[in-house]
Structure formats: C-alpha cells, structure tokens
Amino acid sequence: MNELVFSYAGADRQKQTTVRHSHRGCELLYVDSGRCTLLLPGNSALDGQPGSVFLLPAHTEHERHNPVECRTCYAVFETDSPLFDSGPRRIKTGEDSLIRQWFNCLPELNNSYEAEQAGALIRTILLRLERIEQQQREEEMLHPGLKRACVYLKEHCRREISIGELAHHAGVSQSHLNLLFRRKFGVGPQHYLLDLRMKLARRLLLNPYERISDVAEQCGFRDIHYFTRCFKAFHGVPPGLYRRSPSRFADAECRPAVVAAALRNPEKTATGVRAGQG
C-alpha cells in the first residue's frame, strides 16, 4: 500500500459557503447528508449528494457552497496514492454502508489523535473507493441493453419477470439478451437473477428473527421447499444450517450444473425469469 501520513479529520454541518482554501495534504470529503457544490479553480464545479466522495489532491484550492444544510466528514493526509494523480474528482458511493460508517469513525479517531489507526482506516477507505470506481468503469463498458437488463433485475428481483418483458425493457431481442448475459457472465438471465436472490437470502438469514419462510418470500420464492433446494444447490447446505454457521459456508462456490438441475421443476417455480412473451 502507498505511503500515507495522517494529518487530521473531522465533521461539520453547514448552510453557507466556506472560505476558499487548500491543504498541504490530500483531502477526502464525504457528503453524509444534504447537498453541496464544490467550487474549483478554472470555474469548474462538482455537485455532491449523500454518498459522494470528493478526492482533492494536495494544494487544490476549493470552496464549498451549501444551498441547504449539509453534513460532511473529511480527512486530510499526505500520500502518494495514484488515486489523486488525475486531479479533483468525485466518486459516487451511493448507499455504501461501510464507506459511511468508516468516514464517521474518523472524527472520533482524530479527537483522541489515534494517527496510526486513522491512517489505516483511510487506507481501507481508499482501497474501497478504488474498487467502487473500478466497478463503475466496468458497468460503463457494458452493452447498454445488458446494463438496462441488470438494473431491471436488481430493482425487481422479488417478482416474476418474463424473458420477453426483460428483453423489451433492455431494448434487444430475447435471443440477443441471452447471448449478452452468457458472453459477460457465463450464465443466462435466469441464473443471474437466482444469484441476486441468493445474495439477498444470505443477508436476510443473518437476522435470527426472520423466519426462513419469510426470507424465501422476500427473495421472490412462493414455495419454501423450492427456495431450500435452490439455496442448497448454491451453498451445499440448507438455509437453516447456513444461518447457524454463516462464516463456514458463505464462501461456497455456486455450482451451475447443480443449480440448473434445481431449476428444472416448473410446478414449484419461484417468481423468476420465465420463458414467453409475458
């Protein structure tokens, strides 16, 4: 990891324009709530909403305009990380809970001046920002139809979606949609949707107060037995055993052939991607 020396961190809540200033070190500025505009040299500007992270190289003059009350967390440090080589920019992290949690920990570490721990946390934040940015670049390179289909499946993964409906929303033919999924992910849209549901199921099963039947329903399965069979095909164990020891089974690889066999039961269908024009 690149060299990093922590200077200071904090948080503020403002509804005003800050004085134009710069820092000797690099700065990370996280928008926790509200919205703002970062005014930069050359009359350029970057808008920020909750989840936005501004990356400011050392000595970058800037001021922040807050049209509404805006809470931010910030950290200043010296580093040779290549993330700051391309000038000031913004990374949208959306609702990433870890990024939000980590930024909110920095002011507390600053108050007791735990410089070593704060520096380690900033390194972790930079690694995650780098990963988020890489994922966003990969998504931008997706075929537009495939991107629309993936977003649609993520937003509607709890209900039945026909391949015709999905293809219509993606703006491509059914055969071309299947080809796009298999070229990019190695599986068709049905398997892709099932993978989304299994990820959701793993997260919901961590709550011991959620009944497995409720988890199945929230993941789009009308039949708990079919849900159990699909879950076992993915993880090698039924959901009840997974719940008792998630750290043991979370890394089990999905076996496409086994999962495909689990899907071959039209009588006990989940509300998933189905054939037909819909």
Side-chain angles (χ1 to χ4, degrees), residues 10-256:
D12 63 30
R13 188 186 300 272
Q14 297 188 30
K15 187 181 178 182
Q16 59 184 12
T17 298
T18 62
V19 176
R20 181 172 287 266
H21 63 286
S22 64
H23 305 284
R24 186 180 69 181
C26 298
E27 181 181 14
L28 288 177
L29 180 66
Y30 174 77
V31 181
D32 188 54
S33 64
R35 55 190 175 87
C36 64
T37 300
L38 205 65
L39 307 175
L40 300 164
N43 295 320
S44 63
L46 295 171
D47 292 327
Q49 296 181 345
S52 297
V53 180
F54 297 108
L55 287 79
L56 300 171
H59 310 296
T60 300
E61 289 192 352
H62 60 282
E63 61 185 75
R64 194 173 86 238
H65 175 59
N66 308 287
V68 298
E69 186 175 81
C70 180
R71 184 181 186 276
T72 61
C73 299
Y74 55 86
V76 177
F77 49 93
E78 297 181 35
T79 182
D80 58 355
S81 169
L83 276 175
F84 294 89
D85 290 347
S86 55
R89 70 184 191 283
R90 175 196 61 203
I91 298 177
K92 296 180 179 180
T93 67
E95 298 180 356
D96 191 296
S97 60
L98 289 177
I99 286 289
R100 185 174 191 270
Q101 178 181 339
W102 292 340
F103 267 103
N104 278 282
C105 287
L106 286 172
E108 184 176 350
L109 290 172
N110 180 80
N111 290 340
S112 55
Y113 203 71
E114 300 286 353
E116 185 175 348
Q117 294 179 41
L121 184 55
I122 291 171
R123 290 187 186 92
T124 303
I125 290 172
L126 291 175
L127 284 172
R128 190 162 185 84
L129 289 175
E130 188 174 13
R131 179 186 176 192
I132 290 172
E133 197 170 44
Q134 177 62 31
Q135 289 175 335
Q136 291 173 350
R137 282 196 294 264
E138 290 175 356
E139 288 178 1
E140 289 173 359
M141 295 174 64
L142 288 178
H143 183 286
L146 180 60
K147 186 175 181 179
R148 287 191 292 268
C150 290
V151 171
Y152 194 75
L153 288 176
K154 289 175 182 177
E155 292 178 348
H156 301 86
C157 68
R158 303 185 186 200
R159 69 169 181 83
E160 185 175 7
I161 305 171
S162 72
I163 187 66
E165 175 189 349
L166 186 61
H168 174 76
H169 185 82
V172 298
S173 68
Q174 296 183 36
S175 59
H176 190 45
L177 182 65
N178 271 302
L179 181 62
L180 289 172
F181 267 92
R182 293 189 181 281
R183 280 180 175 173
K184 179 61 180 177
F185 304 113
V187 296
Q190 184 183 39
H191 194 289
Y192 181 88
L193 176 60
L194 189 59
D195 184 65
L196 289 176
R197 287 173 167 165
M198 291 297 102
K199 289 178 180 176
L200 176 60
R202 291 198 297 269
R203 179 165 60 83
L204 293 176
L205 285 169
L206 295 179
N207 182 356
Y209 300 103
E210 287 275 12
R211 295 184 303 176
I212 292 178
S213 58
D214 292 335
V215 171
E217 185 176 350
Q218 291 181 64
C219 293
F221 290 84
R222 290 193 294 260
D223 188 294
I224 186 174
H225 301 294
Y226 183 60
F227 166 72
T228 299
R229 193 169 70 220
C230 288
F231 192 93
K232 187 174 181 179
F234 260 71
H235 301 94
V237 293
L241 183 54
Y242 178 92
R243 164 174 275 172
R244 290 193 290 273
S245 185
S247 61
R248 179 181 175 187
F249 302 110
D251 198 38
E253 292 186 2
C254 170
R255 291 162 288 172

